[in-house]
Amino acid sequence: MSSDTYDYLDGNAAAGELSKIFAMDITAAEGQCAHCGATKRFAEARLYMQCPGIVARCAACDHVLLRFVNVGQRVFLDLRGMTYFSLDTSQLQ
Ligand SMILES: [Zn+2]
């Protein structure tokens, strides 16, 4: 299973879709990969958008960090690939 066979974008590409559910810019957020323990900014994640929705994978180990699917009037968010997801609230007024 090699990521070389797929084209991916960086985490910044998810900003538009994820702004539907997050009031803050999540590309600056940090998350820790539940698989390898790497802590990185979400913008550094590898983003696969060819699937129905968005899949973000760890830039270090390729483990799935986040899945986001928009189905009709409902969005599904799967964050179990991350130990935690940390947002900087200083950007809020
Ligand atoms: Zn990882």
Side-chain angles (χ1 to χ4, degrees):
M1 195 174 99
S2 167
S3 62
D4 296 341
T5 55
Y6 300 100
D7 289 326
Y8 62 84
L9 302 169
D10 70 30
N12 290 306
E17 274 299 298
L18 294 176
S19 70
K20 292 176 181 172
I21 52 170
F22 286 102
M24 298 188 294
D25 175 15
I26 67 121
T27 59
E30 273 189 358
Q32 183 178 53
C33 175
H35 186 69
C36 75
T39 302
K40 293 182 178 293
R41 282 166 22 105
F42 186 75
E44 297 178 77
R46 293 176 178 172
L47 221 65
Y48 296 85
M49 302 182 76
Q50 302 91 332
C51 21
I54 293 172
V55 174
R57 289 182 174 271
C58 176
C61 75
D62 217 31
H63 185 75
V64 173
L65 298 172
L66 172 149
R67 295 186 298 156
F68 175 92
V69 182
N70 200 344
V71 182
Q73 301 299 306
R74 186 166 290 271
V75 294
F76 293 85
L77 183 64
D78 176 357
L79 292 170
R80 71 187 140 166
M82 284 187 272
T83 310
Y84 66 83
F85 194 50
S86 162
L87 295 142
D88 177 6
T89 58
S90 69
Q91 61 185 288
L92 299 176
Q93 302 301 317

